[in-house]
Amino acid sequence: MKDTKGETELKKWLSISLSVLISSGVLAGCSSDNSKDNPASSPSGTASATAQPTAAAQDDMKEKLELNIMTISYEGGGWPANNSMIDYLNKKFNIDLKFQWISQDNYKEKLNVLAASGEFPDSFLLLKEDFLKWRDKGIFLDVKPLLSKYPNLAKNLGGEEQLQFMSPKGKYYSFPYYQIETQTSFGIRKDWLDKLSLKMPTNLDEFYQVSKAFATQDPDGNGKNDTYGFSASLVANKTDFKHVDPIKAAFGLVDNWGLKDGKLISWHTQNKELKDFAAYMNKAYTEGVLDKDFAINKVKDPQDKYEAGKVGIDDVVPNVFYQTLVPNLKKVDPKAETVQLLPPKGPTGLQGTSTNAITQRIVINAKIDAKKQDRLLKLFDYLMSDEGNTLSKNGIEGTHYKKNGDSYEKLPAFDQDRPMLISAWYLRRFDLNTQIRLWDDKTMVDNVNQWFKNSEPFKWPNLAAGLESTTDTKNGVTIDQKFMTTLIKVIMGEQPLDAIDAAVEQWKKDGGDQITKEYNDAYLQSK
């Protein structure tokens, strides 16, 4: 009998009443329209007509300034206050740099707490829905009038298109957080395939049979029934799944929004595809092929379970795969071997893999004074320079690495200090090899790039990624959570498959039809 810890907790979550979901401002990310008319209710504490400076003050950097930055911690932890990178940047820019590294599972809650207090950091990372929710309330600095002083920002962050993205015409309210489009891909335990005399799966049926063998035929040889074929989780705000995008795509589901007959449709309205996907997942859940804790897993839990040798297939980031996942897995099983698994073909031959849109944005608080704006932008501009890019990816020469002739050697302090976090989790260049280090083996670098290249033909983009729907911004999270509650119950066998039809109609009635109209209007205007 597999460990089913957390199922009681999961059932409690699934039984949360609709009234609680609707009233939960923190979970739903809802905001009242009152802030448009009442300056005191705006998270910035100012009216939405807050004046934006046209040029930052000249700053000779003689005065020491405190700079506060908040971002998502994707793999736990961050820099402590005495980190060598903090010390280096503090000295170079005469600043007292303070980072808040917040878990991706708690980030939205933290943002809403800050919004309620009106005390945002000097600069912080935002997901699309929060950026759009607060974009026109005078909270974010328009950096466009200032960029002429900071050429590296204009040059190395995707150019005007990316700087303008999701801001009103003529405004740059954010910098893009760069993500490789086809950043993740399924990885599979080849040593488990070989041990069980299995072939690499190419379609959903074969994927299931291999996953079932991984779950039932003791691939790790420990004599226990303690492995799963694959795992999953929910995204942080519980509005979608994570780690199973290729399965969704194979059944013909769109990535949030896609085109049908020239119009945008939401995956929440694809009855047949949803039922096919849910039936597949229900079978996997019932037969112990899918991780029983999939719906209460934190975002990173499936990767942790893969590294622990408890899951045979997971979607991985190639850079992280070679630099972190492989070493960790080798400690558990020195014979472990992972290879890339291309997206399985669905019943009609469809294939797709996780595809990022650059909708995460880095903003500067418009409330900070012009001198602090300039210091912060100088720091950002430096990080985008050649010298700063080398620093943010590799750390400090002599501390985190050293040069030996024509080659480089990583020093132990690199793994202890993790100097690359400012690049990996905050601000970085548009560069496919943004997480490749000076000392990385050329073969490994070639392998990473080959994974990206192999995934390229299977892009599965969200076609509404850069578009805006005011109804979605205000109510989308709430109605999506409600929809997901039903879908999860169907997968767990607590509701029949036909419950999806009612969930689709309820989603439309609760605001989905209006959201669809607004996205289609925005789509037509963007063409």
Side-chain angles (χ1 to χ4, degrees):
M1 186 74 177
K2 286 192 177 72
D3 176 20
T4 59
K5 67 180 180 65
E7 287 192 83
T8 300
E9 179 184 345
L10 173 58
K11 290 178 180 179
K12 287 181 181 179
W13 179 81
L14 289 171
S15 66
I16 293 174
S17 68
L18 174 60
S19 61
V20 173
L21 276 174
I22 292 176
S23 64
S24 175
V26 170
L27 259 181
C30 298
S31 62
S32 170
D33 268 346
N34 292 339
S35 60
K36 295 179 181 179
D37 303 312
N38 179 7
S41 67
S42 171
S44 67
T46 60
S48 60
T50 300
Q52 297 283 341
T54 56
Q58 292 297 322
D59 176 18
D60 56 14
M61 297 205 300
K62 291 182 179 180
E63 178 185 356
K64 189 170 187 176
L65 300 177
E66 180 179 302
L67 299 180
N68 294 283
I69 295 174
M70 186 176 81
T71 192
I72 295 174
S73 169
Y74 289 98
E75 296 181 15
W79 290 343
N82 61 349
N83 183 274
S84 58
M85 284 286 284
I86 295 278
D87 295 339
Y88 182 91
L89 294 171
N90 280 349
K91 183 176 180 180
K92 186 173 184 65
F93 290 94
N94 193 23
I95 55 177
D96 181 9
L97 185 58
K98 297 184 183 299
F99 266 97
Q100 295 184 66
W101 311 91
I102 309 298
S103 165
Q104 59 186 324
D105 297 294
N106 302 321
Y107 200 72
K108 285 184 69 66
E109 181 177 359
K110 177 67 173 180
L111 282 172
N112 280 287
V113 170
L114 293 172
S117 69
E119 294 297 330
F120 282 119
D122 299 325
S123 181
F124 49 105
L125 183 72
L126 285 173
L127 304 183
K128 173 187 173 179
E129 58 265 28
D130 293 312
F131 175 75
L132 292 176
K133 181 170 64 177
W134 295 322
R135 183 193 63 192
D136 301 320
K137 297 184 183 295
I139 301 171
F140 311 142
L141 180 69
D142 176 13
V143 298
K144 185 173 184 178
L146 313 177
L147 277 190
S148 61
K149 292 175 58 180
Y150 312 101
N152 293 305
L153 291 173
K155 177 183 176 183
N156 294 315
L157 284 175
E160 182 176 1
E161 179 181 353
Q162 281 299 328
L163 292 166
Q164 176 73 68
F165 192 57
M166 295 201 302
S167 287
K169 189 173 182 180
K171 304 284 187 182
Y172 295 169
Y173 282 140
S174 66
F175 296 118
Y177 171 74
Y178 173 62
Q179 292 181 288
I180 299 165
E181 276 192 286
T182 51
Q183 183 179 6
T184 62
S185 172
F186 271 155
I188 187 170
R189 287 289 297 269
K190 184 179 183 299
D191 56 311
W192 285 9
L193 285 172
D194 294 343
K195 180 177 181 180
L196 301 178
S197 300
L198 298 169
K199 295 181 180 180
M200 187 77 73
T202 61
N203 58 46
L204 283 177
D205 288 341
E206 293 173 357
F207 181 92
Y208 191 89
Q209 293 307 315
V210 166
S211 296
K212 187 172 182 178
F214 285 174
T216 61
Q217 297 182 25
D218 191 24
D220 59 355
N222 69 353
K224 300 177 181 179
N225 185 22
D226 61 352
T227 54
Y228 289 105
F230 64 101
S231 184
S233 70
L234 303 186
V235 296
N237 62 5
K238 296 181 171 63
T239 60
D240 201 348
F241 296 103
K242 200 165 179 63
H243 298 271
V244 291
D245 280 353
I247 299 176
K248 290 174 63 180
F251 280 113
L253 288 166
V254 298
D255 181 9
N256 286 286
W257 293 87
L259 277 181
K260 182 178 180 181
D261 299 327
K263 293 184 178 181
L264 290 177
I265 62 166
S266 171
W267 75 291
H268 300 96
T269 64
Q270 294 182 274
N271 298 55
K272 181 185 183 304
E273 293 85 351
L274 283 164
K275 287 182 178 180
D276 291 343
F277 168 72
Y280 187 90
M281 296 289 282
N282 169 254
K283 183 181 179 183
Y285 179 84
T286 303
E287 296 186 352
V289 175
L290 168 64
D291 178 6
K292 290 287 187 182
D293 290 332
F294 77 96
I296 57 168
N297 279 336
K298 293 184 177 179
V299 173
K300 188 173 173 286
D301 284 349
Q303 179 182 317
D304 291 341
K305 292 179 181 184
Y306 187 91
E307 289 181 7
K310 299 302 179 185
V311 173
I313 301 171
D314 187 38
D315 65 330
V316 299
V317 178
N319 307 79
V320 175
F321 165 73
Y322 285 103
Q323 295 165 355
T324 303
L325 190 149
V326 168
N328 290 343
L329 184 55
K330 289 284 189 182
K331 293 176 185 177
V332 175
D333 184 354
K335 297 181 180 179
E337 182 182 1
T338 301
V339 295
Q340 186 177 19
L341 172 62
L342 296 181
K345 293 180 181 179
T348 63
L350 292 174
Q351 292 173 275
T353 194
S354 301
T355 304
N356 290 317
I358 304 177
T359 56
Q360 294 189 45
R361 312 302 290 183
I362 297 163
V363 299
I364 294 176
N365 191 340
K367 290 174 63 178
I368 64 176
D369 62 44
K371 186 174 288 188
K372 184 176 280 193
Q373 293 168 17
D374 186 44
R375 195 76 60 91
L376 191 58
L377 287 166
K378 281 177 178 173
L379 169 64
F380 287 180
D381 191 66
Y382 169 73
L383 293 173
M384 291 300 98
S385 69
D386 291 344
E387 178 184 327
N389 183 54
T390 299
L391 173 78
S392 66
K393 288 171 59 174
N394 307 282
I396 304 164
E397 185 173 2
T399 300
H400 300 119
Y401 70 93
K402 65 179 180 180
K403 189 173 183 180
N404 299 319
D406 294 331
S407 64
Y408 296 86
E409 177 185 348
K410 182 180 75 168
L411 300 176
F414 180 87
D415 293 326
Q416 297 165 10
D417 292 351
R418 297 197 291 174
M420 74 295 180
L421 290 188
I422 195 169
S423 170
W425 295 351
Y426 202 61
L427 188 67
R428 58 191 182 189
R429 283 183 172 185
F430 274 57
D431 176 6
L432 193 64
N433 289 327
T434 186
Q435 294 189 54
I436 297 297
R437 316 296 169 211
L438 289 169
W439 54 84
D440 281 337
D441 178 75
K442 183 180 183 303
T443 299
M444 186 274 280
V445 175
D446 290 343
N447 287 340
V448 167
N449 288 328
Q450 189 62 51
W451 276 53
F452 291 142
K453 183 178 179 180
N454 292 344
S455 297
E456 185 76 13
F458 306 108
K459 287 182 181 178
W460 184 57
N462 174 7
L463 297 184
L467 303 178
E468 183 178 4
S469 158
T470 55
T471 304
D472 194 17
T473 300
K474 288 162 53 174
N475 301 323
V477 172
T478 301
I479 66 173
D480 290 356
Q481 286 175 343
K482 182 179 174 182
F483 180 89
M484 282 292 291
T485 299
T486 299
L487 186 53
I488 291 169
K489 286 183 176 181
V490 171
I491 291 172
M492 294 181 66
E494 295 183 6
Q495 288 192 9
L497 205 58
D498 287 345
I500 289 175
D501 292 326
V504 169
E505 292 308 309
Q506 191 64 50
W507 183 86
K508 293 178 180 178
K509 181 180 178 181
D510 288 343
D513 280 341
Q514 181 62 25
I515 291 171
T516 301
K517 179 182 182 305
E518 290 170 2
Y519 273 133
N520 272 284
D521 289 345
Y523 178 72
L524 289 174
Q525 291 175 12
S526 69
K527 295 181 72 173

